[in-house]
């Protein structure tokens, strides 16, 4: 299923990472297959350090050490997931993305990061954001893989 995306980097939005870690979504099998493809070097994925700030507060507030440990492993330096910093260049590019697409600043940072990383695809379950993405970056949804 993921083989067709080999050598075509995919950006993972925050909600996808939550689905992958939380293991309770309707897409658990799809997430398992995606993570296996990442581990097998079939799939190259990218996200932003901004994602860390979006996904980790909940397990911290719920005092859920198991979930927190999974997130920490996901974002560790040894992880096959490329986690890019929110640089000044990304922030400036996000201003243009926000102005062009009319999306929220946080979403614009994600899109700008995906573009800077040379991603071909943007995997998100945020339909509003997905419909806004245009140009060389193509929107993917989990339902396409179920």
């Amino acid at each position: 299923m993921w083989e067709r995306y080999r050598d075509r980097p995919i950006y993972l939005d925050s909600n996808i990472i939550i689905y992958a870690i939380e293991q309770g979504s309707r897409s658990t099998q799809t997430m398992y297959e995606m993570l296996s493809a990442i581990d097998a070097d079939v799939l190259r994925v990218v996200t932003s350090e901004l994602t860390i700030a979006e996904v980790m507060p909940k397990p911290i507030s719920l005092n859920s050490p198991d979930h927190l440990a999974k997130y920490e492993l996901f974002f560790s330096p040894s992880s096959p997931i490329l986690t890019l910093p929110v640089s000044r260049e990304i922030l400036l590019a996000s201003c243009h993305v926000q102005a062009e697409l009319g999306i929220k600043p946080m979403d614009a940072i994600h899109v700008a990061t995906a573009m800077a990383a040379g991603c071909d695809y943007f995997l998100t379950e945020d339909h509003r954001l997905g419909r806004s993405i245009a140009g060389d970056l193509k929107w993917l949804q989990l339902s396409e893989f179920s």
Side-chain angles (χ1 to χ4, degrees), residues 24-145:
S25 79
R26 65 190 187 288
S27 303
T28 300
Q29 183 61 33
T30 302
M31 295 284 68
Y32 173 78
E33 291 169 3
M34 181 188 76
L35 294 172
S36 294
I38 292 167
D39 286 340
D41 269 344
V42 170
L43 194 60
R44 195 176 108 208
V45 295
V46 178
T47 196
S48 169
E49 285 180 340
L50 173 63
T51 305
I52 297 168
E54 291 181 317
V55 303
M56 290 184 66
K58 185 175 180 183
I60 290 170
S61 70
L62 294 175
N63 195 23
S64 178
D66 291 340
H67 280 115
L68 194 56
K70 289 178 184 178
Y71 282 112
E72 288 171 349
L73 183 61
F74 196 90
F75 294 111
S76 74
S78 63
S79 171
I81 289 91
L82 178 60
T83 305
L84 295 178
V86 181
S87 65
R88 182 178 180 85
E89 292 79 18
I90 295 289
L91 292 173
L92 290 171
S94 76
C95 294
H96 291 278
V97 169
Q98 186 179 358
E100 290 171 19
L101 302 180
I103 59 178
K104 297 175 184 177
M106 300 288 246
D107 290 338
I109 293 169
H110 285 294
V111 171
T113 303
M115 293 167 61
C119 291
D120 294 318
Y121 300 97
F122 194 100
L123 182 58
T124 184
E125 287 298 288
D126 181 341
H127 291 230
R128 179 195 44 78
L129 175 58
R131 285 188 297 271
S132 298
I133 296 171
D136 294 331
L137 196 56
K138 293 164 188 63
W139 174 31
L140 292 177
Q141 303 174 69
L142 290 176
S143 60
E144 296 176 40
F145 302 98

